[in-house]
């Protein structure tokens, strides 16, 4: 009897994997995006356009990792926003300090001219 | 009597502790906010990288004619072009590509372990955790090799004004470019590698606990889920390090 219950538990526990399909789909998207990045790295000349493509592809990869692998897409709205808003502010800081770095470079190179 | 009724009453009010804020358990919520603070740290590193790079002279010549110099910031694909077993062969970014693939793979096996945990499938959790441990360990080994190569340097090294050559990298000077380049390489990839190491140890702990049936007795595999969140975050950081350090 005890054996039967245990077996029953095993039976109910072994649900076929409905989630795995989405996981592998996300995996192939990530691999595809990485391959695309390499394609651009070798076929395109370095410059603002290429860097913009890299950053956009990176944001796509980050979206798939956070939304699907870390399951954030399926969490409560308030949790999603409390993660995304602070990170958006960090991106703002990054843009601001890149401009600051360029300004610093301009100043030291043009100062003695 | 009044005491017993208050004890029996379910604490379900918003501020009574009977609910889960944001519909996530305490542990998962705290892991999310820890990861957010960790993202700030990595964000700060990458921001400093961007600022330093913009504050240095970019290399404007032909990519084929590139030579290492402290005058300009190096082109990453000219720095990271070595592959174990292919000495002297120019394979730009090939090894980093391999490392990226290994880490993405480990993320997939991790999420499969979490999924198996939801189904209370102990055998599958063990299997996928073991794969994740394997891939994570391989990634760490790859990073150890990359650091060794970076520190030892290439055959050509950097030609100094006095005609001598400097090989490899230290915190004070390096053959690839301005001193800050090597410093940022050590700090950014080092801090990431440190995170991978911690995650790897956590995975070992989770694997041993799973084998001992700790989580099965507990009735849920939430610990695997929380370690999974951390592990995916490490993968996420690598995605950004890969773009900002190796591609751009």
């Amino acid at each position: 009897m005890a054996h039967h219950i245990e077996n029953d538990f095993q039976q109910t526990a072994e649900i076929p994997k409905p989630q795995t399909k989405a996981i592998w789909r996300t995996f192939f998207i990530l691999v595809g995006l990485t391959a695309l990045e390499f394609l651009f790295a070798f076929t395109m000349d370095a410059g603002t356009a290429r860097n913009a493509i890299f950053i956009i592809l990176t944001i796509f990869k980050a979206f798939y990792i956070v939304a699907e692998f870390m399951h954030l897409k399926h969490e409560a709205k308030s949790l999603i926003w409390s993660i995304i808003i602070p990170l958006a502010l960090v991106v703002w800081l990054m843009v601001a300090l890149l401009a600051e770095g360029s300004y610093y470079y301009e100043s030291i190179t043009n100062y003695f001219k | 009597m009044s005491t017993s009724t208050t004890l029996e009453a379910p604490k379900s009010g918003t501020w009574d502790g009977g609910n889960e804020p944001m519909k996530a358990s305490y542990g998962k919520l705290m892991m999310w906010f820890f990861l957010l603070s960790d993202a700030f740290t990595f964000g700060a590193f990458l921001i400093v990288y961007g600022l330093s790079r913009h504050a240095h002279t970019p290399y404007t010549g032909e990519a084929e004619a590139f030579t290492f110099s402290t005058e300009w910031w190096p082109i990453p694909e000219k720095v990271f072009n070595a592959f174990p077993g292919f000495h002297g062969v120019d394979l730009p970014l090939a090894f980093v590509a391999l490392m990226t693939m290994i880490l993405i793979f480990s993320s997939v096996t991790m999420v499969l372990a979490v999924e198996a945990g939801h189904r209370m499938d102990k055998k599958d959790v063990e299997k996928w955790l073991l794969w994740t441990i394997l891939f994570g360990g391989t990634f760490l080994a790859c990073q150890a090799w990359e650091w060794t190569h970076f520190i030892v340097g290439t055959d050509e090294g950097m030609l100094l004004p006095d005609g001598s050559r400097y090989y490899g990298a230290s915190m004070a000077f390096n053959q690839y470019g301005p001193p800050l380049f090597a410093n940022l390489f050590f700090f950014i990839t080092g801090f990431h590698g440190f995170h991978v190491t911690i995650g790897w140890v956590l995975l070992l702990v989770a694997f041993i606990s799973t084998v001992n049936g700790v989580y099965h007795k507990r009735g849920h595999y939430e610990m695997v889920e929380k370690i999974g969140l951390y592990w995916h975050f490490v993968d996420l950081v690598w995605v950004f390090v890969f773009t900002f350090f190796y591609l751009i």
Side-chain angles (χ1 to χ4, degrees):
Chain A
M1 194 66 199
H3 176 77
H4 175 75
I5 289 164
E6 199 176 75
N7 205 34
D8 206 21
F9 174 72
Q10 287 289 90
Q11 285 295 319
T12 47
E14 294 218 10
I15 309 155
K17 311 168 186 176
Q19 290 280 333
T20 328
K21 217 173 133 187
I23 295 168
W24 286 110
R25 206 188 101 237
T26 313
F27 167 73
F28 286 119
I29 290 170
L30 288 174
V31 171
L33 288 174
T34 311
L36 208 59
E37 282 183 330
F38 274 100
L39 194 71
F40 280 115
F42 294 123
T43 54
M44 219 174 146
D45 288 328
T48 317
R50 196 178 77 163
N51 289 349
I53 290 171
F54 283 153
I55 291 168
I56 290 165
L57 289 176
T58 303
I59 290 168
F60 271 115
K61 274 163 86 177
F63 169 78
Y64 279 107
I65 291 173
V66 177
E68 295 294 339
F69 283 0
M70 295 172 89
H71 219 253
L72 188 63
K73 202 173 146 191
H74 312 284
E75 302 286 355
K77 277 248 158 52
S78 53
L79 180 55
I80 296 175
W81 285 114
S82 54
I83 299 296
I84 288 176
I85 291 171
L87 289 180
L89 294 174
V90 172
V91 173
W92 177 18
L93 179 65
M94 177 147 210
V95 173
L97 281 177
L98 285 184
E100 196 67 19
S102 303
Y103 172 74
Y104 171 77
Y105 175 71
E106 286 289 310
S107 320
I108 56 162
T109 45
N110 295 331
Y111 191 77
F112 298 106
K113 275 181 186 171
Chain B
M1 191 186 158
S2 64
T3 339
S4 73
T5 44
T6 42
L7 277 175
E8 276 162 23
K11 294 190 169 184
S12 55
T14 310
W15 299 100
D16 291 343
N19 66 337
E20 290 179 331
M22 296 169 172
K23 294 195 187 80
S25 73
Y26 173 78
K28 263 162 80 178
L29 210 52
M30 290 306 113
M31 182 51 93
W32 269 111
F33 288 120
F34 163 70
L35 293 181
L36 185 62
S37 72
D38 221 17
F40 291 162
T41 316
F42 276 110
F45 270 128
L46 289 174
I47 286 167
V48 170
Y49 180 80
L51 180 129
S52 312
R53 203 174 163 165
H54 275 240
H56 279 80
T57 313
Y59 178 75
T60 46
E62 284 293 307
E64 287 77 28
F66 178 81
T67 49
F68 293 136
S69 164
T70 49
E71 293 285 314
W72 51 71
W73 203 261
I75 301 175
E77 54 193 72
K78 300 287 173 188
V79 179
F80 306 103
N81 62 354
F83 201 91
F86 291 88
H87 186 84
V89 185
D90 179 43
L91 297 163
L93 302 178
F95 195 54
V96 197
L98 181 69
M99 285 166 75
T100 308
M101 283 310 300
I102 290 167
L103 211 56
I104 290 177
F105 248 121
S106 83
S107 237
V108 172
T109 54
M110 185 74 234
V111 82
L112 287 169
V114 173
E115 195 268 337
H118 284 310
R119 293 180 289 112
M120 296 296 288
D121 189 340
K122 189 172 163 232
K123 276 274 171 316
D124 259 20
V125 175
E126 284 169 21
K127 178 178 82 181
W128 292 120
L129 276 182
L130 211 54
W131 276 111
T132 315
I133 290 167
L134 180 79
F135 285 127
T138 316
F139 179 84
L140 281 174
C142 289
Q143 211 168 30
W145 185 88
E146 213 198 0
W147 268 55
T148 312
H149 180 81
F150 191 82
I151 293 167
V152 172
T154 58
D155 289 341
E156 312 87 54
M158 182 197 277
L159 188 63
L160 298 177
D162 64 353
S164 66
R165 280 175 187 276
Y166 188 87
Y167 302 97
S170 71
M171 291 297 281
F173 199 80
N174 70 83
Q175 67 159 74
Y176 310 103
L180 262 181
F181 175 72
N183 295 352
L184 285 162
F185 173 81
F186 288 135
F187 274 100
I188 293 173
T189 64
F191 200 56
H192 177 261
F194 175 61
H195 273 76
V196 180
T197 313
I198 289 177
W200 197 71
V201 172
L202 289 175
L203 284 172
L204 277 184
V205 172
F207 177 71
I208 293 164
S209 302
T210 308
V211 171
N212 290 338
V214 175
Y215 305 136
H216 213 85
K217 268 179 241 153
R218 200 178 282 173
H220 56 80
Y221 281 82
E222 203 190 279
M223 189 54 79
V224 177
E225 222 171 304
K226 282 182 276 192
I227 296 171
L229 278 179
Y230 179 83
W231 192 257
H232 296 312
F233 174 74
V234 168
D235 182 28
L236 179 69
V237 169
W238 182 256
V239 164
F240 280 92
V241 170
F242 173 65
T243 300
F244 289 109
F245 213 98
Y246 293 94
L247 285 180
I248 288 183

